[in-house]
Every structure is written in C-alpha cells, then in structure tokens.
Amino acid sequence: MCAMAEETQQTEAIFANYEPVDTGDAYQKVTAAKSGSQWKHDWFVLRSLVSKDFKLKYRRSVLGVLWSLLNPLLMMVVMAAVFSYMFRFQIEHFPVYLILGTIMFDFMSRGTTGAMSSIIESQALIKKVRIEKIIFPLEKVVFELVNFGLALVAAAVVMVYFQVVPSVHALWGLPFIIVMVTLFSTGLSLLISALSVFFRDVMHLWGVLMTAWTYATPLFYPYEMLAGWMQLIVQFNPMYHYINFFRSIMMWNTNPGILECLICAGMAIVTFLIGLLVFRKTESKFILYI
C-alpha cells in the first residue's frame, strides 16, 4: 500500500508541472504554421470556394463565363423593349439607364440571396472542419462581385453603342461606389445568413422582400414620376442612392457631391457593422441549429 501511495504521489507531482492545453489555440497555431498565416489560409479557402461556384455555375455550358456578359445584355434588350415602348418613359439613353441600374441591383440581390443559405448549405463542412464561418457568406458576395465586374464589360458595350461617355468623376467614383455596395451587401449577407440559421422563415420571406425592393428602386422608371411622399420614402432606400451615384458618374456627367458620398458611406458602414456584430454574436451557436 505504501508503494502504491508513493507512486501516486510521484505521478501527481509529474502532472502538476504541466499546464492545461488550449486545443482551440493549438489548432489555430497548427493551421497558421501549415499555411504560413491564418489570413493566407482563409484567403485560400475563399478562393477555392469562389472557383468551385464558377465551375458549378457554368458546368456543361457551351458559352461558359460569357453568359455573365450576355445575360445582362439580353435582360436589358427585353426590359428596354417592354418599358420604353409600352410605358413610354422619356429617359435619354434608356438602355444605358436600365443596364447600369440592373447590374448593380443584381449584384446586391444575388449576393445576399446566395449568402442567406450559405451557412446551412455548408453544414457538412462546418461540422467536420474547424473553419471561419464568416467565409461562407463572404464568398457569395465575392462571387457576385466578380460577376458584377464582368457585367460592367457588357454595360461598357452598351455605352459605346449609344455613345455615352463616363464623366471624369468615374475615376474616383467608380471604385468608391463599388466598395460601398460591396460593404453594404456584405453586412446584409452576414445579418440574414445568421438569422436564417435560427429562423428558416427568413429564407421564404427574402424572395418576397427582394421583389418588393426591386419595384421600390427606380431601375426601369424615372424617380421624378413618383409622388412626393413616395420620393421621400425612396430616400431611405440605400440601393436608390448607390444606383443614382453610379448613373451620375457613368452617364449623367455630374459630380454626386460630398453629401451623397456621406450618405452612401454611412449606409454601407452601419449595415456592415450591424451584420458583423450579429454574426459574431451568434456564430458559436450555429452548430446547434444547422
């Protein structure tokens, strides 16, 4: 008995010298060591997911990525034929007006719609691998950002055809508005992707909301045709400001002004911070609901 007691004391003395290991921290260090840094590792995952989405979207397609150019052009032709001849809107260079508004709104709409279910659709990976969950909604926005860049080429073709020249303000305004819309879309994506994990009703309501949002934004009709009280409501629509800014520098040859820049930036930053806060506060519970 004395020998056993002595061995027990020796064992306890040995383990007393060891500090408890934080397995989460250890995983982060191993991951960082393998990839050079955690940031590089996350960037590699993000690029891989974007590449996968491109391959899935254009798989077995004869034209492949060219559809990113043709789709906005074809939609512009159809909508221009309907709205310019049936409703007789008096908008100069209406096809340019239409395609500029449509491609920017589609960027936000498709990015947020894809991000909304990104956590739920990636549940198999989330349950098996320790990975930054924010990558999944972010990837959907980045994927649509690339598509938006391709759609800009289609818009440029239309502008050349109608001899519409961007203003000099496009040199600074175009990068600015793209960053603001991306930031706004990312914040909205983080918010609804987190909410949809806990409330699946969000996934059903979002399509209805997007339809209403489309008609509430002057995409194919002039802002001036709205009644005074409707114009006041539209002022609270972030996409109206982003699209109006976009058209100002691309086809109207006007300077949006400091106030409009502050409005666009304020809406984007506030939305992003709210989305990021909600996502970070809830992401630890995702595994219990997906």
Side-chain angles (χ1 to χ4, degrees):
M1 293 290 293
C2 293
M4 292 179 61
E6 186 177 351
E7 288 181 5
T8 302
Q9 292 177 354
Q10 291 176 353
T11 303
E12 291 176 351
I14 291 173
F15 281 100
N17 295 325
Y18 288 92
E19 296 181 357
V21 177
D22 185 346
T23 55
D25 182 63
Y27 175 85
Q28 295 291 339
K29 291 180 179 179
V30 170
T31 302
K34 286 183 177 180
S35 58
S37 71
Q38 185 62 39
W39 184 88
K40 288 183 179 179
H41 176 262
D42 293 340
W43 176 245
F44 171 77
V45 174
L46 182 62
R47 284 189 305 160
S48 300
L49 291 174
V50 171
S51 176
K52 183 204 71 173
D53 274 1
F54 261 101
K55 291 176 182 177
L56 290 176
K57 183 175 182 178
Y58 300 111
R59 183 174 57 184
R60 297 180 183 176
S61 172
V62 176
L63 296 178
V65 74
L66 286 177
W67 278 113
S68 293
L69 305 178
L70 291 175
N71 188 60
L73 287 174
L74 295 175
M75 289 300 297
M76 179 213 67
V77 171
V78 173
M79 294 178 71
V82 172
F83 294 110
S84 61
Y85 291 102
M86 290 183 64
F87 295 95
R88 302 291 180 183
F89 292 143
Q90 298 301 315
I91 299 177
E92 187 179 8
H93 304 307
F94 181 68
V96 179
Y97 178 92
L98 184 61
I99 194 170
L100 289 177
T102 301
I103 64 174
M104 177 154 286
F105 191 89
D106 283 351
F107 166 39
M108 182 279 299
S109 176
R110 293 175 181 172
T112 53
T113 301
M116 176 179 57
S117 57
S118 61
I119 299 296
I120 298 172
E121 291 175 351
S122 304
Q123 58 180 296
L125 185 59
I126 293 174
K127 289 178 179 179
K128 293 180 180 178
V129 181
R130 189 185 180 96
I131 190 172
E132 279 286 347
K133 301 176 186 66
I134 199 172
I135 290 177
F136 297 106
L138 180 60
E139 182 271 329
K140 298 300 180 182
V141 177
V142 173
F143 175 67
E144 292 303 333
L145 176 61
V146 176
N147 282 322
F148 174 73
L150 296 173
L152 274 178
V153 178
V157 172
V158 178
M159 292 175 67
V160 170
Y161 180 81
F162 287 95
Q163 299 181 351
V164 176
V165 180
S167 71
V168 67
H169 303 293
L171 295 175
W172 64 268
L174 186 58
F176 171 80
I177 198 62
I178 290 176
V179 170
M180 291 303 104
V181 176
T182 302
L183 201 62
F184 174 77
S185 301
T186 301
L188 202 55
S189 297
L190 293 175
L191 177 62
I192 63 174
S193 64
L195 293 178
S196 63
V197 172
F198 305 99
F199 309 102
R200 302 300 166 92
D201 298 311
V202 173
M203 302 176 67
H204 300 286
L205 292 173
W206 191 249
V208 178
L209 179 59
M210 277 293 103
T211 301
W213 202 343
T214 300
Y215 289 106
T217 305
L219 298 179
F220 46 80
Y221 60 84
Y223 170 78
E224 291 74 20
M225 71 169 286
L226 297 174
W229 64 273
M230 294 181 69
Q231 290 185 3
L232 181 61
I233 293 175
V234 169
Q235 290 294 326
F236 293 92
N237 179 356
M239 290 310 299
Y240 161 72
H241 290 280
Y242 296 139
I243 291 172
N244 191 59
F245 189 106
F246 191 37
R247 287 168 174 161
S248 295
I249 61 175
M250 297 300 288
M251 66 175 293
W252 291 335
N253 197 25
T254 57
N255 185 355
I258 296 296
L259 178 60
E260 192 65 16
C261 290
L262 292 175
I263 291 173
C264 291
M267 288 180 168
I269 294 171
V270 170
T271 303
F272 176 76
L273 292 177
I274 292 174
L276 182 62
L277 178 63
V278 172
F279 192 91
R280 288 303 191 190
K281 286 288 186 180
T282 58
E283 64 176 335
S284 61
K285 299 178 182 178
F286 288 171
I287 194 70
L288 302 176
Y289 291 86
I290 56 177

